[in-house]
Amino acid sequence: MEAAPNTAQPRWQRVLKRIASLILHQWLLIGIGIVCALAYCFPNVAKHGGTIRSEYSIMYGVIAIIFLISGLSIPRQKLIAHVLNWRLHVVVQVISFIFIPALVLAIVHVILAADSGGKIDRAVLAGYIFTACIPTTIASNVVMTRSAGGDDAAALVEVLLANILGPFVTAAWTIALMPKMAEFDPWRYGGGDLGSMYKEVFQQLGLSVLLPLFVGQLVKWTWPDRTALVLQKTKLPKLATVCLLLLIWATFSSCFATGALQTLSAQSIVFVVLFNIILYTALTTVCFFCSRPPRIFSSRRWSKPIFKRMSPEETIAVCFCGPAKSTALGIPLLYAMWQPVDLLLKAKTSVPVLLYTTEQICVAHFFVQLFRWWHARIVEKEELDDRRGDDVGMSIVEDSYRDHAGRGDEHTTV
């Protein structure tokens, strides 16, 4: 009898397969590392006003691609439904424009009381107050929500609403919250002209968000079956994730080109990096419990409408929209608000914006995996409950049938 052939793969092939699998699963993080390295080595390529003119090619072109894909993918009925979803608006916008600024202001005052020696640069603290007041980011929320299995239509509506409110809310709110101390006078009396900033922001919002979204919806409405087939065959929604890497590349290029990171102390850099991770994680947790509060809060009749749980898909959208902040609006607004302020001081103030908006994508990548697992569990549990309900229903029907059959036999015997 012949021996069975040895089908086991060599060890080196198994190792290569594991490495390839790891790269495929974590390609976004690896891509972030690559674009950060490119930004550090060649900052002039993708900086604002650089070789590729990223303020147009990326901030307009790349974002337009993301929202064109959203327009092709999202049903119009879902968009209309979420425009009327007042509870979704309240939760996201209150967290973004009220809760986060209040929390960050409290933390800044604690740091000021504890750091009398000024080890944490005051420009960084002013930058955090500004970061807390800017609206949610334009592109990454929609992409991350879709990747995690959430309701990307809900994320899209909240992004549009926040970035329409943002230019009017952020400037006044930032100045009002700035600590009344001599160290913060340059930011309380910046004296910038916001007129050109408003024009630039709403121009970008119209050309890179609203127009591509409208074109995508028009194409989807005109050729619904063909559009769905093209999206399925080309895997076009995955292109939106690649676009995130180009946004991070442009953001870090501008940061390295100004030299803002190099001028800050080591304590300030370490504080910013660690604080961003802790803050984003804590805010995501707050958003989750605001969307799906414990059932004990809705136990009474009067509290049910207030503490009603959102669907898992809407919850995922809230968790990505609530904690996020926008570089696309933040940086132009920062430079417009404090136009007369020294360029280096403005660059240092922008560090919290730049690092927070970049780190939020890195941390959100892990939350995508977590929420995808959580969503799958919820769906599986609902399907199991439905099956149990069907089994119970069938059991009741069978018992009823037996009862009737038994009564029929009794009558026949009589």
Side-chain angles (χ1 to χ4, degrees):
M1 188 174 181
E2 294 183 2
N6 186 13
T7 57
Q9 290 182 332
R11 185 180 177 185
W12 65 271
Q13 287 187 0
R14 295 198 302 271
V15 171
L16 283 178
K17 280 191 173 182
R18 287 181 182 177
I19 294 173
S21 176
L22 178 65
I23 291 172
L24 286 174
H25 281 88
Q26 305 298 331
W27 70 270
L28 181 60
L29 286 181
I30 295 170
I32 289 173
I34 292 172
V35 297
C36 287
L38 289 174
Y40 179 77
C41 296
F42 312 102
N44 293 325
V45 175
K47 71 174 185 178
H48 188 89
T51 306
I52 65 170
R53 300 301 297 270
S54 63
E55 67 272 24
Y56 300 113
S57 61
I58 292 179
M59 292 304 170
Y60 279 85
V62 169
I63 292 177
I65 291 172
I66 291 174
F67 282 94
L68 176 63
I69 294 171
S70 296
L72 293 170
S73 308
I74 299 173
R76 186 173 64 258
Q77 294 80 0
K78 287 180 70 175
L79 285 175
I80 296 171
H82 286 304
V83 167
L84 304 175
N85 190 344
W86 64 268
R87 187 164 179 267
L88 180 70
H89 303 329
V90 169
V91 171
V92 174
Q93 306 308 330
V94 166
I95 288 175
S96 184
F97 287 119
I98 297 178
F99 178 78
I100 296 177
L103 176 64
V104 170
L105 182 63
I107 294 171
V108 166
H109 279 289
V110 170
I111 293 171
L112 288 172
D115 183 31
S116 56
K119 291 183 180 179
I120 304 300
D121 198 305
R122 295 325 185 220
V124 169
L125 299 181
Y128 265 116
I129 293 174
F130 173 76
T131 304
C133 296
I134 60 179
T136 189
T137 188
I138 294 176
S140 62
N141 291 341
V142 179
V143 177
M144 294 293 184
T145 300
R146 185 186 298 124
S147 299
D151 193 333
D152 50 351
L156 179 55
V157 169
E158 295 312 307
V159 163
L160 291 174
L161 179 60
N163 282 271
I164 290 171
L165 294 173
F168 302 104
V169 173
T170 301
W173 200 213
T174 302
I175 300 302
L177 296 181
M178 204 63 68
K180 307 299 188 288
M181 301 170 63
E183 296 170 292
F184 291 89
D185 283 350
W187 295 280
R188 283 196 292 126
Y189 306 109
D193 179 20
L194 298 179
S196 59
M197 184 277 302
Y198 285 130
K199 180 182 177 182
E200 181 181 343
V201 167
F202 284 113
Q203 177 179 304
Q204 182 183 2
L205 196 63
L207 294 178
S208 65
V209 177
L210 294 176
L211 181 60
L213 181 65
F214 173 76
V215 171
Q217 285 285 291
L218 185 63
V219 170
K220 183 178 176 62
W221 179 71
T222 308
W223 302 286
D225 296 333
R226 192 175 301 176
T227 302
L229 184 63
V230 170
L231 286 174
Q232 184 181 1
K233 285 189 173 182
T234 59
K235 306 292 184 184
L236 197 59
K238 292 187 179 296
L239 178 62
T241 309
V242 178
C243 292
L244 285 182
L245 295 177
L246 297 176
L247 290 172
I248 295 171
W249 179 37
T251 300
F252 260 98
S253 294
S254 297
C255 188
F256 287 127
T258 60
L261 285 174
Q262 296 88 320
T263 59
L264 289 175
S265 65
Q267 292 95 328
S268 295
I269 294 294
V270 171
F271 166 75
V272 170
V273 171
L274 295 179
F275 181 66
N276 287 342
I277 296 172
I278 295 169
L279 180 63
Y280 185 84
T281 304
L283 292 174
T284 303
T285 306
V286 169
C287 289
F288 181 83
F289 283 106
C290 287
S291 304
R292 293 180 72 84
R295 295 191 185 278
I296 191 172
F297 289 104
S298 57
S299 57
R300 297 185 180 276
R301 184 178 298 177
W302 62 267
S303 63
K304 280 184 180 179
I306 301 173
F307 296 104
K308 182 182 177 182
R309 285 185 158 197
M310 293 184 181
S311 68
E313 294 78 16
E314 287 182 2
T315 300
I316 294 172
V318 171
C319 288
F320 284 115
C321 291
K325 295 297 178 180
S326 171
T327 308
L329 175 64
I331 296 303
L333 180 56
L334 186 148
Y335 278 85
M337 281 176 62
W338 295 305
Q339 189 174 4
V341 175
D342 177 68
L343 180 60
L344 180 59
L345 193 61
K346 284 187 289 192
K348 290 199 292 186
T349 308
S350 71
V351 167
V353 186
L354 294 170
L355 289 186
Y356 184 84
T357 52
T358 303
E359 287 182 73
Q360 75 188 7
I361 295 176
C362 298
V363 180
H365 175 68
F366 292 102
F367 277 114
V368 165
Q369 313 302 323
L370 181 62
F371 281 123
R372 190 183 292 164
W373 169 81
W374 173 75
H375 182 255
R377 280 197 63 190
I378 293 289
V379 171
E380 184 180 347
K381 184 180 177 183
E382 289 175 351
E383 289 177 353
L384 185 61
D385 290 342
D386 289 341
R387 284 198 213 102
R388 285 175 180 171
D390 292 341
D391 292 341
V392 170
M394 287 297 295
S395 176
I396 293 171
V397 170
E398 288 173 1
D399 290 344
S400 176
Y401 176 77
R402 289 195 195 99
D403 290 343
H404 284 294
R407 288 170 186 168
D409 291 341
E410 291 173 4
H411 287 303
T412 304
T413 305
V414 173

